[in-house]
Amino acid sequence: MYPEDENFQFYNSQNSSYSGGFGDYSDNPQEEKPKEPKKGLDRRAVALVLSCALLGGAAGVGGAAAYSHFNKAPSVVYQNQHVSADPMAHTEKGKAMTPEQLYAANLDSCVGITVSTTMVNIFGQPTTSAATGSGFVISQDGYILTNFHVIQSAAADESVDIEVAFADGTKYPAKLMGGEPGNDVAVLKIEASGLTPVVLGDSDQIKVGEPVYAIGNPLGELTYTFTDGMVSALDRLISTSREVTLNMLQTNCAINPGNSGGPLFNRYGEVIGINTAKYSSSSSGTSAEGLGFAIPINDVKSIIPELIQHGYVTDKPYMGIQMAPVSEDAQRYGVPAGVLVTFVAEGSAAEKAGIKTKDIIVKMEDTAIDSPSALSAAVSSYRAGDKVKLTVVRPDVGEVELNLVFDEKNQETEAANQQPEQAPQQQVPQRVPQQGPSSDSFFPWIFGGFF
């Protein structure tokens, strides 16, 4: 059911090209105050050079369809405060639960998700293929949260069926309310009432070494499996084959194909993450265990109501640049690690802020930027209209501080960011000159044809 080539593979961002539209958080800036950056990104984040596999969903399906055809739905009501998940399991507010209590309190809130696709084979006979994943209930009236990649085939084709199953054997057809590939999150809706929603915790408060627990459907057959572990690391930047960078928690909690979209709980029975990926040793030949990754729940809380109401995320932040990583060869001669700006769209937020081609972005507010992955993760903390301070290193000038106000990512701003056709850019040579340039001529040399 889970052949190796049906797993999406992550790639190393250092070997790829990038464009400058980022971000997946949004609310209406006219109605609410601008959102503060995520606390977790105040720490310096390092992109992992790992080959990771997503834990569920079909592969080989085209990009996501637009969600404008979905009907608007009332805002979801879900718990997001530190309260008891089940008074029968523990009666003292804020008291840690035993594993037995945690499983009993949350089993009815966890679901298995099956996405079925019917195709016609070469003999003209209909065949059905299915991909499985996990999810969890976030409202009493039937809203369910999962990974976008679990239901990606349904996003591209409305004829694809989604089925949700509970531990007691009850099954429901589900409707895709909305999804956001950039956050790898989606919301489903089933026609049910009186369900038991999970409690959403605060992922900004977790610390390395804290115990965590997962409930999911590994292999699509070992349903409602309960595993435990601890938080192994914070702020792991993982870049996907869809050119999306996710800020993730690392855990040694056992998760496998089929666990995608399932909840990661803290000791209080609160969901602090969405299980999404694990290390895949197929490409490197290196055997590794206990390397799982989950999306912090705080990274998606704010977009859930938008996915329900609109089917997509509005007010995404946009800079209007094209960029590339600074090569290791350049860094040997003192060029700082960061993001090299290769193109600035006319009239964009970047141009208005004074960003120029050949600038190297090294910091956004207090967050160090050492790669395009780090910039992508940092920008995702903001939304259109937010103002940020950028630190760039400019040839022959040095460090310059600039103030940028994000544009909204839409068809118009993306179209403006299309660089005119030109001769192919020269690649960084494999051999480094025997004698490096002097400090006086350094920047013109390194930018003269290396990128």
Side-chain angles (χ1 to χ4, degrees):
M1 183 178 296
Y2 292 92
E4 186 68 26
D5 60 0
E6 288 194 359
N7 285 331
F8 291 100
Q9 297 295 321
F10 286 105
Y11 70 92
N12 174 14
S13 60
Q14 293 291 335
N15 296 326
S16 304
S17 60
Y18 305 85
S19 60
F22 302 100
D24 301 291
Y25 290 88
S26 61
D27 288 292
N28 189 335
Q30 297 179 351
E31 296 179 1
E32 297 183 358
K33 297 180 180 179
K35 187 193 328 185
E36 296 181 356
K38 293 196 295 286
K39 296 179 181 178
L41 290 177
D42 289 341
R43 297 181 290 271
R44 183 181 180 91
V46 181
L48 296 181
V49 184
L50 293 178
S51 173
C52 296
L54 300 180
L55 301 176
V61 180
Y67 292 101
S68 58
H69 61 278
F70 288 113
N71 295 325
K72 291 185 177 181
S75 297
V76 64
V77 177
Y78 54 92
Q79 300 180 74
N80 59 4
Q81 296 180 349
H82 193 84
V83 296
S84 298
D86 184 348
M88 296 300 293
H90 62 99
T91 56
E92 184 179 345
K93 181 178 179 180
K95 181 180 179 180
M97 306 170 72
T98 67
E100 296 90 343
Q101 290 171 336
L102 191 149
Y103 185 73
N106 290 283
L107 179 60
D108 292 341
S109 305
C110 300
V111 301
I113 299 172
T114 302
V115 182
S116 301
T117 306
T118 301
M119 299 175 290
V120 178
N121 62 22
I122 59 174
F123 304 106
Q125 299 173 327
T127 60
T128 300
S129 62
T132 61
S134 304
F136 50 96
V137 177
I138 56 175
S139 74
Q140 294 182 348
D141 56 347
Y143 287 103
I144 293 170
L145 196 64
T146 187
N147 280 138
F148 178 83
H149 73 262
V150 170
I151 52 78
Q152 183 173 359
S153 58
D157 184 353
E158 291 185 53
S159 66
V160 174
D161 296 325
I162 305 175
E163 184 179 71
V164 168
F166 287 81
D168 63 1
T170 306
K171 297 180 179 180
Y172 297 89
K175 176 183 178 181
L176 175 59
M177 297 304 299
E180 175 50 50
N183 290 90
D184 199 8
V185 63
V187 176
L188 308 178
K189 178 68 167 66
I190 61 175
E191 295 302 320
S193 60
L195 301 178
T196 303
V198 298
V199 177
L200 300 185
D202 184 358
S203 56
D204 287 342
Q205 300 302 317
I206 63 173
K207 295 179 176 62
V208 173
E210 288 190 22
V212 288
Y213 306 86
I215 300 176
N217 301 287
L219 307 183
E221 298 176 356
L222 303 175
T223 55
Y224 311 105
T225 295
F226 186 53
T227 56
D228 70 332
M230 68 175 67
V231 177
S232 303
L234 305 174
D235 299 322
R236 295 300 200 193
L237 299 183
I238 305 296
S239 296
T240 76
S241 57
R242 298 190 302 269
E243 297 189 8
V244 172
T245 299
L246 296 172
N247 174 49
M248 293 194 183
L249 313 173
Q250 182 183 330
T251 174
N252 67 343
C253 199
I255 51 177
N256 291 282
N259 276 108
S260 260
L264 185 69
F265 297 96
N266 63 12
R267 73 187 80 180
Y268 304 103
E270 301 167 335
V271 175
I272 47 87
I274 305 173
N275 295 317
T276 301
K278 70 173 294 183
Y279 179 80
S280 173
S281 59
S282 59
S283 62
S284 64
T286 302
S287 177
E289 297 293 339
L291 296 177
F293 301 93
I295 300 170
I297 198 64
N298 284 15
D299 288 8
V300 300
K301 277 181 180 179
S302 63
I303 69 174
I304 294 173
E306 293 211 45
L307 294 180
I308 293 173
Q309 184 174 4
H310 304 292
Y312 60 93
V313 178
T314 61
D315 298 326
K316 295 181 184 179
Y318 201 71
M319 293 180 64
I321 64 172
Q322 293 182 18
M323 60 184 179
V326 176
S327 71
E328 292 183 1
D329 286 342
Q331 292 180 48
R332 291 191 186 101
Y333 287 98
V335 177
V339 171
L340 173 67
V341 178
T342 61
F343 175 74
V344 179
E346 184 177 354
S348 65
E351 185 186 55
K352 294 174 183 176
I355 295 176
K356 300 179 180 180
T357 58
K358 301 183 182 180
D359 281 351
I360 298 178
I361 301 173
V362 295
K363 187 181 290 186
M364 178 174 288
E365 294 292 345
D366 295 327
T367 301
I369 304 299
D370 58 6
S371 66
S373 297
L375 180 60
S376 175
V379 172
S380 69
S381 301
Y382 300 92
R383 63 188 181 203
D386 284 349
K387 182 179 179 179
V388 296
K389 181 176 69 176
L390 296 175
T391 303
V392 306
V393 176
R394 181 165 295 169
D396 298 326
V397 176
E399 283 196 359
V400 177
E401 290 189 352
L402 303 171
N403 292 314
L404 179 142
V405 179
F406 287 108
D407 289 330
E408 180 178 357
K409 184 177 182 180
N410 52 43
Q411 292 182 346
E412 182 179 349
T413 53
E414 288 188 287
N417 198 34
Q418 297 302 311
Q419 188 171 5
E421 293 186 5
Q422 57 184 14
Q425 294 178 326
Q426 293 179 315
Q427 300 298 314
V428 177
Q430 297 300 312
R431 299 181 63 183
V432 180
Q434 294 290 330
Q435 180 67 39
S438 66
S439 59
D440 293 338
S441 62
F442 175 71
F443 277 108
W445 172 81
I446 201 68
F447 290 114
F450 270 65
F451 294 94

